[in-house]
Amino acid sequence: MYGLKGVIRLALVGALVLSVTTVFTGVARADDAAYVGTETCLECHDEMGAAFSASLHSKAWESSGDYQENSCEACHGPGSLHVDDPSKETIMTFGEDSMQSADQQSDTCLGCHSASQEIALWDMGMHAKRDVSCSSCHSIHKGYSPLAAMPETCYSCHLNVKIEANKASRHPIKEGEVGCNDCHNPHGTLSDAQIRDESTNQLCYQCHADK
């Protein structure tokens, strides 16, 4: 009836619909969830809660109305479905094994951080375009500061730069005198390679005006 090409098209469409449905199942179900409160979260996640409470992020959020009202669920979403079914499919999670896309994860962070000029061009940057989320570099529950460790975090993906940075003629990165983010804005720019100026020459002149 449809012919071979028609059958192939129907199969591809069916596979696409199934994959999209699978990816967004957790998000769709979260719409039906209700807030349960921090104490309920801590019944299972007490160690994570203690680590977060000691972090700089937690201290900053003490002034946030949304955090004061919903705490864990301000980022992870309402948790009633997760209480009944403690799987990743029923809660907003972060990281490589999250059921949510990189965009969905980052959108949660941007709910607070979008006002920062440093992140104003996030959607224009190569990290966002290549499905790198905020949590790919930043750890919220571990350590005092959520700031990414430089240059180790960058080197985990940019191995070619790590090689260049260990050559005889190089910037003093490993000595700690120059950091990756001194020249690049990992959160996005309008320039090539996410540099912090209109051109490479202009960027270099900031330190090497004599050249």
Side-chain angles (χ1 to χ4, degrees):
M1 179 178 179
Y2 292 105
L4 180 59
K5 291 184 178 179
V7 171
I8 293 175
R9 289 194 187 99
L10 287 174
L12 290 174
V13 171
L16 178 61
V17 171
L18 178 61
S19 64
V20 171
T21 301
T22 301
V23 170
F24 288 99
T25 296
V27 180
R29 291 187 62 186
D31 292 339
D32 301 323
Y35 290 99
V36 296
T38 302
E39 294 304 317
T40 300
C41 302
L42 295 179
E43 290 178 8
C44 294
H45 304 289
D46 56 331
E47 292 184 3
M48 187 176 293
F52 179 74
S53 295
S55 71
L56 182 63
H57 221 149
S58 175
K59 306 305 179 186
W61 279 11
E62 289 178 357
S63 61
S64 168
D66 187 34
Y67 178 70
Q68 290 177 354
E69 182 178 353
N70 297 314
S71 195
C72 307
E73 294 167 294
C75 290
H76 293 281
S80 62
L81 294 178
H82 190 62
V83 172
D84 297 332
D85 175 14
S87 65
K88 291 183 180 295
E89 287 81 2
T90 57
I91 197 72
M92 178 71 191
T93 59
F94 301 86
E96 293 183 357
D97 58 349
S98 172
M99 296 297 295
Q100 286 76 34
S101 68
D103 281 343
Q104 290 169 325
Q105 294 178 53
S106 295
D107 282 346
T108 299
C109 304
L110 291 172
C112 288
H113 294 285
S114 60
S116 169
Q117 291 186 349
E118 184 78 359
I119 309 177
L121 296 176
W122 170 254
D123 290 332
M124 303 292 294
M126 293 307 299
H127 282 148
K129 291 178 180 178
R130 294 182 178 179
D131 292 331
V132 176
S133 70
C134 303
S135 58
S136 297
C137 301
H138 300 279
S139 178
I140 306 307
H141 293 118
K142 296 178 182 179
Y144 176 69
S145 173
L147 295 178
M150 297 284 183
E152 292 79 10
T153 300
C154 303
Y155 286 166
S156 66
C157 291
H158 302 285
L159 296 178
N160 60 319
V161 177
K162 182 177 182 179
I163 294 172
E164 293 292 327
N166 282 280
K167 291 183 176 180
S169 178
R170 56 178 170 75
H171 284 108
I173 296 176
K174 64 181 183 180
E175 290 81 5
E177 296 180 23
V178 177
C180 305
N181 60 342
D182 288 328
C183 297
H184 304 273
N185 182 351
H187 302 111
T189 70
L190 297 177
S191 306
D192 291 337
Q194 301 194 147
I195 61 173
R196 293 183 180 274
D197 215 317
E198 295 181 1
S199 68
T200 302
N201 284 348
Q202 289 301 118
L203 177 69
C204 296
Y205 292 156
Q206 292 182 19
C207 293
H208 304 286
D210 57 318
K211 303 297 183 181

